[in-house]
Amino acid sequence: MASLAQKLTRITGEIFAAQGLKAEFGVVKVSDRPDLAQFQCNGALAAAKAAGKNPREIASVVAEALKRRRECSKIEIAGPGFININVTDEFLAAHLAGLGENSGVEQNAKGTVVLDYGGPNIAKPMHVGHLRSSIIGDALRRIMKFAGYNALGDVHLGDWGTPMGQIISELELRGRLDKPVTMDELEEIYPAASKACKEEEARAERARAATVKLQDGDPTYTKVWKNFIDVSIAGMKKNFDALGVHFDLWKGESSVHSRIAPMVESLKKKGLAVESEGALVVPVAKSDDKKEMPPLILYKRDGAVLYSTTDMATIVERVEENKPAKIIYVVDQRQNLHFEQVFRAARLSGIAADNMELTFAGFGTMNGTDGKPFKTRAGGVMKLEDLIKMGVEKARARLAEAGLEQNDDIANKVAIAAIKFADLQNNRIADYVFDLDRMTTFEGKTGPYLLYQAVRIKSLLKKAGADEKTAARFVIKDEDRKLALLLTELPDYFAAALRDYAPHVLCDYAFKLAQEFSSFYGSCHIISEPDAALRASRLALCDLTYRQLALVLGLLGIQIPEKM
RNA sequence: GCACCCGUAGCUCAGUGGAUAGAGCGCUGCCCUCCGGAGGCAGAGGCCGCAGGUUCGAAUCCUGCCGGGUGCGCCA
């Protein structure tokens, strides 16, 4: 099970090895020049340099050997030593017929992976800043799970820092510590408290004291805190459900509180944690650092812990409870220095063993069409809930306009597909422009376009009859070949997405596949094809296309409606 | 000031050592007696920020510069 290019790589690698050259030179990939060939191998050039030989000489030996293989139909050498490879239609057809349920994707990864994404804060309504983390993190979780990992998504709530003290002290000042709060109240109380603390030092001091008291386990404060945590989580779950974002673990900064004191003790004993400017810190700078590397702070001057402390303790907990092979942080790119510090401290202390991967998978800012951070028209922060609502409205309007089938389920799926695909198709690290109008025009490279194509295939298969879509063998005509070849590539795209934590690679594949299918669909008739074997083969291509689209969209967290 | 990220078509973005740099939107022209036209086919549009360097070969690697974003000890 592999892609067609991987099979060819194996064959070509053996040929290089037989000449005493490294098998790695035999890498075959889909050709950059489809007008010249289906596949190419550029290894002769690099091999020539390594062996001190003429590249065309090596290429011609490899080409001769390839010509003797029955998998290959046409082998040519071009330019300085490119080897152009075409496969026989029989080989292509056999490859497609041999694909299992998952199109040859490797699924033998082992071990546990914890993915840290979402990261909503208690008492604050979720906003668009949480959107990227949630969407990307959830997609990566699905991708890693599909690869075979025991992939665990952890929401990592911001439920233990300074804002908690701000809210508690605000409630106390208002004399209503004893009454449960509602989400609406919280949405008013937190900004008010935060503003007051910024404006007045004494008020901020009060909040800091409340934070410490809470973290020290004060029973009254704890009870109040638990109440607004519950209220807040209920609100978050609504948002995450609407987005179709899943978490396996609902832990937060507070869940590791009991681990902090022993961890700090151990760090002190090892001489890693030292006092500095009234705080307790772990110096993490190295002598060869090019940049200034501030120390990681464990205890602030006022004795409270902060995110660096909880992030460290969270690693302690994950190592103990989950024994992960990797921990992946899907967090705003702006936090990379912080995580660099955390990772260094974790390595120095041995909390993170050298063979455990710690990856900061940062993402860029979501900007508005003006290129500046996304805001509401009034200039405020847009709530995630409102944004989703707007997306659904647009989807509904567009469905009506196009005269397509519509109901709540379809409108929701179209809206979520639009929002997720628009986000995921961008390179994770770069900033991206969020343009609701653009992504909901439903034309071109959008989520709804992909849904439309998928639904269209499904409808066609239904019309053809369910039992006819499994061909005994594939028949490759000129009209079928491009689609057939593309359908062999999924394992390569999947591997790249997995390796680089890059969902956009899968977006690319889904879009290419939908486009290639449209082209195929336009160039030949399927249901009315008189040749029974060809008709069956084409229906099988449709079926395979649909299954791959559903698979890839599923990995991105996008659901296909039954109809639209 | 120092560090990191980004700079590719009018706009939004792919492409990190290979041939003639791609896609979507927008623009021009075709295609509905045919399975769902949110579509297909064809075309115009590019000193790959600038200047050096490494290499048989550079959008891709190195150095310097210019432009934009971000970060740099008690917020997350």
Side-chain angles (χ1 to χ4, degrees), chain A residues 486-497:
Chain A
L486 183 58
L487 286 163
T488 71
E489 293 186 45
L490 180 58
D492 295 330
Y493 280 86
F494 181 82

Side-chain angles (χ1 to χ4, degrees), chain A residues 151-166:
Chain A
L152 303 173
D154 182 359
V155 71
H156 199 70
L157 299 165
D159 62 355
W160 204 235
T162 311
M164 302 306 107
Q166 294 179 346

Side-chain angles (χ1 to χ4, degrees), chain A residues 367-482:
Chain A
N367 289 330
T369 44
D370 57 357
K372 294 187 195 133
F374 187 82
K375 294 270 161 64
T376 59
R377 224 168 276 146
V381 178
M382 179 171 291
K383 289 205 268 179
L384 189 50
E385 204 179 327
D386 295 337
L387 183 125
I388 295 170
K389 226 176 269 169
M390 283 166 62
V392 174
E393 286 312 311
K394 295 244 182 201
R396 208 185 295 278
R398 190 65 181 92
L399 284 165
E401 192 184 318
L404 290 175
E405 186 124 357
Q406 62 161 319
N407 56 40
D408 287 354
D409 178 61
I410 293 170
N412 273 308
K413 281 179 175 150
V414 168
I416 298 302
I419 291 170
K420 283 190 175 177
F421 194 80
D423 191 318
L424 291 171
Q425 71 168 299
N426 293 287
N427 185 345
R428 200 190 66 230
I429 199 105
D431 293 350
Y432 99 102
V433 175
F434 183 89
D435 185 343
L436 196 59
D437 284 322
R438 187 195 288 266
M439 71 180 78
T440 51
T441 49
F442 306 119
E443 277 158 12
K445 195 171 180 182
T446 65
Y449 165 80
L450 293 171
L451 295 189
Y452 173 75
Q453 295 299 348
V455 170
R456 194 162 69 153
I457 302 171
K458 194 185 269 190
S459 150
L460 186 149
L461 287 168
K462 208 168 158 192
K463 194 166 281 182
D467 52 334
E468 292 197 55
K469 65 189 182 194
T470 40
R473 51 184 287 269
F474 286 87
V475 183
I476 311 291
K477 300 277 183 197
D478 288 347
E479 296 86 347
D480 309 77
R481 199 170 292 110
K482 276 181 82 180

Side-chain angles (χ1 to χ4, degrees), chain A residues 150-334:
Chain A
N150 173 33
L152 303 173
D154 182 359
V155 71
H156 199 70
L157 299 165
D159 62 355
W160 204 235
T162 311
M164 302 306 107
Q166 294 179 346
I167 296 162
I168 292 174
S169 54
E170 183 70 21
L171 286 168
E172 193 163 43
L173 284 168
R174 295 184 187 191
R176 57 173 310 310
L177 267 185
D178 49 344
K179 221 172 73 189
V181 294
T182 64
M183 193 63 211
D184 287 343
E185 279 180 285
L186 270 178
E187 284 183 20
E188 179 268 318
I189 287 168
Y190 175 67
S194 171
K195 186 161 170 260
C197 290
K198 233 174 251 169
E199 283 167 358
E200 199 194 326
E201 182 47 36
R203 178 69 189 79
E205 185 46 50
R206 202 185 177 92
R208 278 197 289 270
T211 307
V212 175
K213 206 169 151 189
L214 170 70
Q215 293 180 351
D216 283 346
D218 178 86
T220 310
Y221 280 16
T222 303
K223 196 176 158 211
V224 173
W225 172 79
K226 276 208 171 113
N227 165 243
F228 65 73
I229 292 270
D230 290 344
V231 168
S232 208
I233 288 178
M236 288 169 195
K237 284 196 169 163
K238 252 173 52 189
N239 278 306
F240 286 128
D241 285 349
L243 278 175
V245 167
H246 170 83
F247 295 96
D248 302 279
L249 303 168
W250 279 83
K251 303 219 168 187
E253 295 172 338
S254 67
S255 5
V256 296
H257 186 65
S258 64
R259 295 182 185 273
I260 289 173
M263 177 186 80
V264 172
E265 265 323 295
S266 149
L267 289 170
K268 273 191 189 160
K269 238 177 246 160
K270 287 180 184 158
L272 292 169
V274 295
E275 206 190 298
S276 166
E277 297 175 31
L280 187 72
V281 305
V282 179
V284 291
K286 294 181 198 159
S287 56
D288 59 344
D289 277 337
K290 277 196 290 188
K291 59 189 168 190
E292 216 176 308
M293 182 60 66
L296 185 84
I297 296 172
L298 294 172
Y299 281 121
K300 301 194 288 177
R301 258 196 295 272
D302 61 15
V305 300
L306 67 169
Y307 66 127
S308 35
T309 329
T310 52
D311 279 337
M312 281 285 281
T314 300
I315 298 178
V316 172
E317 178 168 277
R318 287 173 179 163
V319 166
E320 191 172 302
E321 294 190 353
N322 310 111
K323 299 183 178 48
K326 307 167 193 276
I327 304 177
I328 316 293
Y329 294 84
V330 186
V331 183
D332 192 308
Q333 183 59 29
R334 284 174 290 198

